[in-house]
């Protein structure tokens, strides 16, 4: 089993990170051998691989490659999220964007949806607005949530969360309003909130044209894991996936560069959102 960065040679690490970027778009920086060792150690031990090069060789062959590839990508994916993360995007969605949809349906995409907190938070916002302003959203609404990690998607679809996950960003009022208590330590998203969300497996470096067009895209805190070229490619294709005048939310540490001909910044005080030209 690999237990430290010293067990992965520079050559082996370079081969693995090139494979990972090619297959998932995830770009590992230099000297992250310890991260690979910690996340893939058990898998390497199970498969009786003594070196990371043997894993890369196996991934390049036939047979169980597909299952092994899925396991590797699942292990190397970072899934960090919470309810109503950063707050501002959800307020902008509720106060600025959704009131525009009084006579037409709204379609929202939560890219890199992780364990489901973001798309379910969006669904809660939709429900709150429908209750407070019955005249809005009469034409219907739909949320598509995607992630590259199959294990995480299974968790998200179950819509069940433990005490620790529930406590991260969720107010007691929303917990009571939008969750059913299954036990002393487990809560489940209510059916009317969960039913709006359609979870799908998707790698952002692959085509997502089959998802159709959207009015709003949340792509937050995921582009930081890609190279500049890959990020630019994804953003261009997201522009194509937006309806004219559609909105794109990025993470607080992310920004558009070189795409001023495609997007304009909408200052919302506080927070910003990008509108497709």
């Amino acid at each position: 089993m690999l237990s430290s960065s010293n067990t992965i040679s520079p050559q082996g690490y370079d081969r693995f990170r090139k494979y990972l970027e090619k297959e998932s778009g995830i770009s590992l920086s230099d000297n992250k051998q310890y991260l690979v060792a910690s996340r893939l150690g058990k898998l390497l031990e199970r498969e009786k691989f003594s070196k990371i090069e043997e894993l890369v060789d196996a991934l390049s062959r036939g047979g169980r490659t597909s299952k092994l590839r899925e396991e590797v990508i699942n292990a190397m994916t970072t899934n960090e999220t919470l309810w109503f993360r950063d707050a501002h995007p959800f307020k902008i969605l509720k106060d600025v964007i959704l009131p525009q949809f009084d006579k037409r349906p709204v379609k929202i995409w939560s890219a890199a949806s992780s364990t489901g907190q973001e798309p379910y938070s969006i669904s809660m916002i939709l429900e709150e607005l429908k209750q407070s302003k019955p005249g809005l959203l009469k034409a219907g609404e739909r949320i598509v949530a995607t992630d590259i990690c199959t294990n995480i998607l299974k968790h998200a679809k179950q819509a069940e969360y433990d005490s620790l996950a529930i406590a991260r960003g969720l107010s007691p009022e929303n917990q009571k309003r939008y969750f059913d208590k299954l036990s002393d330590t487990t809560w489940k998203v209510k059916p009317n909130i969960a039913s709006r969300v359609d979870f799908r497996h998707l790698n952002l470096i692959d085509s997502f044209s089959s998802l159709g067009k959207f009015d709003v895209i949340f792509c937050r805190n995921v582009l930081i894991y890609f190279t500049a070229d890959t990020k630019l490619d994804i953003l261009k294709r997201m522009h194509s996936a937006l309806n004219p005048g559609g909105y794109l939310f990025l993470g607080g540490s992310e920004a558009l560069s070189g795409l001023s001909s495609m997007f304009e910044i909408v200052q919302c005080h506080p927070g910003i959102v990008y509108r497709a030209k």
Side-chain angles (χ1 to χ4, degrees), residues 191-211:
N192 64 317
I193 301 299
S195 62
R196 279 196 191 94
V197 185
D198 176 17
F199 286 98
R200 300 188 190 184
H201 177 253
L202 180 72
N203 187 339
L204 288 177
I205 66 172
D206 295 334
S207 171
F208 38 75
S209 59
S210 62
L211 299 180

Side-chain angles (χ1 to χ4, degrees), residues 82-85 90 93 116-127 143 169-170 193 197:
L82 64 155
W83 306 98
F84 299 96
R85 184 176 184 177
F90 299 96
L93 178 68
Q117 280 89 332
E118 180 175 86
Y120 289 138
S121 294
I122 294 170
S123 186
M124 293 175 203
I125 291 292
L126 289 167
E127 184 66 23
I143 304 167
L170 193 69
I193 301 299
V197 185

